[in-house]
């Protein structure tokens, strides 16, 4: 870090201004009426920014927010510019519907707020992701097709799963959907290899459509000529898989070494995808 | 209002101090990791405060928050004391899990934040509640037994229903649960009269256990000797009801005059319960 660098505790922006607090009232706090993205930055350069902004745009549309993507992009660019002294950092971008009087109804003249918080990361994100041991979550994600896929601010189910995880000797938990199909882990998406084909859960009723999930589906798997599909996956099918990995924006692709008593030793597809992943990053 | 009264825009307290903003980061904003209550105050006296604090306590326990009820009670008392010049006011009490580093897992040393916002109300809340016309919501509440009943901050489903309501010539919408049973309206609970018995939906998988719902169940209906039960209610059953009313903390008990094409003209049970309700208020 150079002498001009800011202290990590102060890396907060609200609507493009350095800040330490959110003006109240705010519908993001009141109802979780908003969306967020967590971006990985390399020397201040957001990685796969278009994937994040695509998903954010889908969420803004789903929640009927006024168009604010240009402003979001400006706020992101400005904050990112102040993070270039950090080799790696994590940036959380939150868009709320802003202030409003009491009541659930969104005001017609809503002015969304853009809240950004950032923190340096101390690990080289080009290195292969740390292997993870999985177990099963007790909670099932609830089914709500109108909110599935987007990264909105209503994340109490994730908090409940994370609280269960804190009591277990596992790194992540596999969460099923309301129908009993495999959906994801608590903070990332999941892929499995079955007879040479890569499969990931379809996200019609719950779950978050991760940026790295999309990258694997559309770019990384095709690059190494592995067929890939979104489908329904049963718990038994996951346990019988030839290889399993999880992914999210900060931790990249992480090989799964176990799921309860089941163990995996071959992570060659995950390793090959990671090579492509690192090659696809922006400098 | 006296000369010493504060301006309505400034009626915000954070952890007992007058404030205009929420310190960041905060898990209430990040994940909706928190709970809220909306209290009706009469000359600064919270109405049915024990019912609100009971529900809040249940929510704090369900989400595994550290015990903070005494502090909440102190913050509430202090804010209420500054609202005594308003004949009626609405006070929103929000408890978040406070600050934490990135990630869904709740920190072991979480220190909850108490955020209070208030606004004067300009209508005498002892008058009978305004009659309401209902219609059906498109959305069904998702099923999540671990979060059902408590008033947590994840309220995007309510926002979506309120947004549908804004486009309709109705005052409220009836929302079904994932199984197709009647659950509630978007911002209140619902009762129906069937062969002399009062029925309200059981809230095992979704919905909020309203303070006025509990009051009707435990105090108001017994006071006028009407049998009352929590049960499953089908849409057809609701349409065939002899009388219907909705309730919430701010608007009290409101007779339902219509549900789509179905109309009701008899509101005698709702009127009788309202008399009891007014009698049960604190001065």
């Amino acid at each position: 870090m150079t002498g001009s660098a800011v202290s990590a505790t102060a890396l907060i922006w609200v609507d493009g201004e350095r800040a330490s607090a959110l003006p109240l009232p705010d519908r993001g706090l009141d109802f979780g009426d908003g969306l967020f993205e967590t971006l990985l930055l390399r020397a201040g350069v957001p990685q796969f920014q278009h994937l994040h902004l695509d998903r954010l745009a889908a969420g803004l549309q789903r929640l009927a927010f006024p168009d604010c993507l240009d402003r979001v992009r400006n706020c992101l660019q400005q904050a990112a510019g102040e993070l270039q002294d950090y080799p790696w950092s994590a940036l959380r971008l939150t868009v709320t519907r802003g202030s409003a009087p009491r009541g659930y109804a969104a005001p017609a003249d809503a002015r969304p707020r853009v809240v950004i918080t950032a923190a340096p990361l101390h690990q080289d994100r080009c290195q292969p992701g740390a292997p993870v041991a999985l177990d099963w979550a007790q909670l099932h994600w609830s089914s709500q097709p109108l909110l599935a896929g987007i990264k909105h601010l209503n994340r109490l189910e994730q908090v409940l799963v994370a609280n269960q995880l804190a009591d277990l000797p596992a790194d992540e938990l596999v969460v099923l959907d309301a129908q009993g199909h495999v959906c994801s882990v608590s903070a990332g998406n999941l892929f499995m290899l079955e007879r040479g084909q890569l499969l990931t859960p379809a996200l019609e009723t719950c779950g978050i459509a991760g940026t790295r999930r999309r990258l694997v589906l559309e770019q990384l798997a095709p690059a190494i000529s592995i067929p890939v599909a979104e489908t329904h996956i049963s718990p038994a099918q996951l346990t019988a898989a030839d290889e399993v990995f999880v992914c999210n924006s900060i931790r990249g692709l992480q090989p799964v070494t176990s799921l309860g008593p089941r163990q995996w030793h071959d992570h060659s597809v995950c390793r090959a995808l990671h090579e492509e992943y690192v090659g696809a990053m922006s400098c």
Side-chain angles (χ1 to χ4, degrees), chain A:
Chain A
M1 295 290 309
T2 68
S4 67
V6 293
S7 84
T9 53
L11 294 173
I12 302 174
W13 297 258
V14 174
D15 282 339
E17 304 284 335
R18 291 301 279 268
S20 61
L22 175 77
L24 293 176
D26 188 276
R27 291 176 58 94
L29 173 67
D30 285 353
F31 309 125
D33 190 7
L35 301 146
F36 72 109
E37 294 290 333
T38 306
L39 291 93
L40 176 69
L41 275 67
R42 184 182 194 171
V45 178
Q47 302 297 306
F48 309 106
Q49 175 175 316
H50 66 291
L51 299 181
H52 289 282
L53 292 182
D54 274 6
R55 179 174 59 187
L56 181 64
L60 292 169
Q61 189 168 27
R62 195 91 70 83
L63 300 184
F65 270 49
D67 181 31
C68 57
L69 259 193
D70 283 345
R71 197 153 57 83
V72 167
R73 202 178 279 111
N74 289 341
C75 291
L76 173 57
Q77 188 176 1
Q78 181 200 343
E82 298 185 42
L83 296 167
Q84 56 193 2
D85 289 337
Y86 298 107
W88 298 95
S89 56
L91 181 152
R92 179 178 157 131
L93 167 68
T94 305
V95 182
T96 80
R97 210 185 302 253
S99 282
R102 210 165 41 79
Y104 291 123
D109 60 348
R111 181 173 159 82
R113 278 200 183 101
V114 183
V115 180
I116 291 177
T117 57
L121 296 168
H122 303 293
Q123 208 178 323
D124 176 6
R125 301 291 153 166
C126 288
Q127 294 301 311
V132 292
L134 303 183
D135 210 330
W136 299 97
Q138 286 160 1
L139 175 151
H140 289 215
W141 298 138
S142 64
S143 172
Q144 182 49 270
L146 296 174
L147 296 174
I150 63 174
K151 200 168 169 90
H152 56 69
L153 294 176
N154 282 198
R155 294 297 160 202
L156 266 178
E157 289 186 331
Q158 276 80 0
V159 172
L160 292 178
V161 174
N163 288 356
Q164 183 199 344
L165 178 59
D167 296 331
L168 292 176
D171 303 302
E172 253 291 12
L173 298 180
V174 179
V175 189
L176 308 182
D177 66 18
Q179 290 75 40
H181 299 121
V182 171
C183 178
S184 66
V185 288
S186 76
N189 293 109
L190 184 143
F191 284 83
M192 61 168 270
L193 190 72
E194 184 184 69
R195 291 189 295 273
Q197 188 184 27
L198 214 44
L199 301 176
T200 193
L203 304 176
E204 295 136 355
T205 64
C206 59
I208 301 172
T211 56
R212 272 48 176 184
R213 174 181 181 274
R214 182 172 162 199
L215 199 66
V216 170
L217 284 168
E218 296 182 0
Q219 187 174 337
L220 308 185
I224 61 168
S225 302
I226 297 225
V228 61
E230 301 173 70
T231 184
H232 293 294
I233 297 175
S234 71
Q237 198 178 353
L238 178 61
T239 306
D242 298 317
E243 185 179 336
V244 179
F245 67 89
V246 296
C247 57
N248 78 16
S249 61
I250 301 301
R251 295 197 293 267
L253 280 58
Q254 297 181 279
V256 170
T257 53
S258 64
L259 171 54
R262 167 72 158 108
Q263 297 200 329
W264 286 275
H265 302 286
D266 182 11
H267 309 297
S268 45
V269 169
C270 181
R271 254 198 312 268
L273 291 169
H274 172 78
E275 295 285 308
E276 293 295 327
Y277 176 60
V278 170
M281 283 199 198
S282 313
C283 295

